[in-house]
Amino acid sequence: MAASPSSMSGGGGEAAAVRTVVWFRRDLRVEDNPALAAAARTAGEVVPAYVWAPEEDGPYYPGRVSRWWLSQSLKHLDASLRRLGASRLVTRRSTDTVAALLDLVRSTGATHLFFNHLYDPLSLVRDHRVKELLAGEGITVQSFNSDLLYEPWEVLDDDCCPFTMFTPFWEKCLCMADPAAPLLPPKRIHSGDLSRCPSDDLIFEDESERGSNALLARAWSPGWQNADKAFAAFLNGPLMDYSVNSKKADSANTSLLSPYLHFGELSVRKVFHQVRMKQLTWSNESNLDGEEGCSLFLRSIGLREYSRYLTFNHPCSHEKPLLAHLRFFPWVVNEVYFKVWRQGRTGYPLVDAGMRELWATGWLHDRIRVVVSSFFVKVLQLPWRWGMKYFWDTLLDADLESDALGWQYISGSLPDGRELDRIDNPQFEGYKFDPYGEYVRRWLPELARLPTEWIHHPWDAPESVLQAAGIELGSNYPLPIVELDEAKSRLQEALSEMWELEAASRAEMENGMEEGLGDSSDVPLIAFPQELQQMEVDREMVRGTIHIPTPAGRRRADQMVPSMTTSLVRAETELSVDFGSSEVSRAEVPSQGHFQPQMEIREVVNGGTAATNNGVHHQQYNLQNNLNRVRGGVAPSTSEASSSWTGREGGVVPVWSPPVASGHSDPYAADEADISSRSYLDRHPESHRLMNWNQLSQSS
DNA sequence: CGTCTTTTGTA
DNA sequence: ACAAAAGAC
């Protein structure tokens, strides 16, 4: 297992010949960055590089706010690297990362390529290709862990199998040896002569996005040093009351660290160690709430950890339910529902407030994410992947692994997820998370004058109250798009249908096994709506109504909330008189430490396009798929009920594996994406070996 | 006031 | 499905 000197190239010569390309991805920091630290330790020259090839991500081309963050963070990183003595961050625009790296290595005469691990399926495949190709060129390629407390293959149960449930996974993590202490930034970096190594200008926004992006900068400061500050602020502030406050929709109580963590501007290992220290302190002071807050916060770090763990072991987790029977759920493919949800016009105030906040700011409190996604899946019964894709397109902290985990959890597709058949009632959730209605009033100005008593169920309010509040249900605020009772019965029907389909397919499977791999009963993925692929703001909805006279200078293509009717317009204009002078027209993002129940000025989108995501190339990846293997005894119960959980898979959008006939009566279907299938690692020993092999260099 | 029932939270 | 908590009796 030694650090494989055999793969070294060019051998012999003077030490000065060592030149290492450090390939940055989602590890945009100089502190506790193992790849960078290792490169600096070679005492040779270090060429920091970034390759921007978003087309490779297919439908998961980053959304506007995410690209904005990235652009800022790269600037910050470049400045940090220069301060350390590097000449610059070398940037490349490409549609083929591997080719771009090869070119980079050749044009710099580098002998080494270092980078930190990623665990999403695209990266696993691409990084493997990078290693093969560059090693073939005689380049020493090493990769490191910068993103996780523990590598996915390090956390195994007593039988050395990957965990399939979060709780045992996290318990195991917590009793493993502490992760390595964070590394300091390198003292100095020399890049040598880079005059023959051009950089490309990276363009992360188009004209139409500039205005909206400018607003983001008022609330957020990307970059690893700012991550550090935000983390310190959280440690010394909201963390203490984290457990007490975690039930409120108010973002001021949250860490707001997720975008930093997504781009690796903040090291989870550092977070872990510092929170642990706080916890120890509070524990000694018998500060039970504080101590519990630490556990709770670390648990959410654990969920992030687990999301990588899952995608590593089940590379299809962003498109296929991990519980196979869910693949037979008859999702309602209704783009009108989808649109209404996105626009925050479902008639359920808490849901609508959340969706408008997301739209306007790219941010959503975790609780509210659960509310809106649960509503999406259970009340509207839309395919969860649509919701996940919308989150991907709009969230500032969009993260494929975390979002896949979240949506699978909500849609009942995980062994330890929520039950699908229990509908969360947004009204009661409103009482819980937003007891004074402040959150709703802030994001739904049309309901601003409704007394708290009715704010979460305006449909029950007496006519006189509504009138006094200037609300006409069905006109300036919608009636519930689906009644909860109706949703419940529809959900029951859908579930019965799911079980029938599942049973039928299983029967068919048992009969027609020999007929080969045709697998006619395969359930295809539901494609994303075209509209979502372009992230277009719905225009008709807005055009059909009255336009708000838009104050000069505030008209912009933005993710602004579409309004619907005249009376709403009236309410808005009135409000804007009150607040118009105080610059509240910004796309508001939660800022740490205060919460003002304040009206937002809203404007109608005049055909604005939020983002022009054009990277819709559907890539096909040829991950070989073995025949299903059953892992006996791991499933929670192999009893009669669960014996019906057998399914198959299908694929339309990026296909990871060809459809495959499924196993027999296993608790979980045994196929590529399924939770009981053999892990990705088992099926791709090469990747495993490569990773393990390099793991060593990190610990040196 | 104890026991049974309902609701809630759960990654 | 299940345990804990809250509510009903």
Side-chain angles (χ1 to χ4, degrees), chain A residues 370-430:
Chain A
V370 172
V371 170
V372 299
S373 55
S374 168
F375 185 86
F376 183 93
V377 166
K378 299 180 186 196
V379 179
L380 301 179
Q381 291 164 38
L382 294 167
W384 61 268
R385 290 177 59 254
W386 290 10
M388 190 186 80
K389 175 66 160 60
Y390 183 72
F391 271 22
W392 173 259
D393 288 334
T394 52
L395 277 171
L396 198 57
D397 60 1
D399 181 289
L400 202 51
E401 295 95 308
S402 292
D403 292 341
L405 175 66
W407 282 89
Q408 292 229 18
Y409 165 67
I410 290 301
S411 64
S413 310
L414 293 173
D416 51 351
R418 293 195 159 192
E419 286 300 329
L420 183 53
D421 56 6
R422 209 151 90 195
I423 291 190
D424 300 299
N425 187 329
Q427 179 185 342
F428 299 140
E429 288 178 314

Side-chain angles (χ1 to χ4, degrees), chain A residues 161-337:
Chain A
C161 291
F163 289 95
T164 55
M165 288 193 277
F166 173 69
T167 308
F169 164 82
W170 187 233
E171 277 166 7
K172 172 76 181 190
C173 288
L174 286 176
C175 63
M176 287 169 68
D178 272 0
L183 305 163
L184 293 172
K187 288 202 183 61
R188 187 135 186 95
I189 295 172
H190 308 276
S191 327
D193 178 20
L194 289 182
S195 57
R196 283 190 301 152
C197 178
S199 272
D200 298 330
D201 280 336
L202 303 187
I203 296 167
F204 294 98
E205 64 183 15
D206 62 38
E207 279 304 322
S208 69
E209 296 170 337
R210 195 154 297 164
S212 309
N213 287 345
L215 301 176
L216 286 166
R218 301 197 192 185
W220 296 94
S221 307
W224 69 275
Q225 284 163 308
N226 295 315
D228 225 46
K229 283 181 207 155
F231 178 47
F234 176 66
L235 269 181
N236 298 317
L239 178 59
M240 168 113 62
D241 303 313
Y242 193 73
S243 67
V244 182
N245 288 331
S246 65
K247 294 203 168 63
K248 293 290 144 56
D250 185 354
S251 292
N253 299 317
T254 68
S255 75
L256 304 179
L257 295 177
S258 50
Y260 297 110
L261 286 167
H262 171 76
F263 286 107
E265 293 157 53
L266 185 60
S267 152
V268 278
R269 271 172 262 155
K270 177 173 173 170
V271 170
F272 181 84
H273 281 109
Q274 296 208 15
V275 172
R276 264 290 162 93
M277 274 197 282
K278 269 281 189 229
Q279 186 171 32
L280 213 64
T281 311
W282 286 334
S283 171
N284 288 333
E285 295 166 358
S286 305
N287 179 347
L288 292 184
D289 284 343
E291 200 191 339
E292 196 196 330
C294 291
S295 297
L296 216 60
F297 179 68
L298 285 178
R299 211 171 133 275
S300 66
I301 296 291
L303 282 167
R304 176 185 176 281
E305 196 92 351
Y306 189 58
S307 72
R308 271 85 179 136
Y309 187 81
L310 271 190
T311 38
F312 179 77
N313 286 304
H314 309 280
C316 289
S317 62
H318 61 300
E319 46 190 39
K320 292 173 198 158
L322 264 53
L323 287 180
H325 59 282
L326 254 295
R327 281 168 219 169
F328 297 90
F329 190 89
W331 299 108
V332 174
V333 179
N334 181 332
E335 297 194 21
V336 174
Y337 278 8

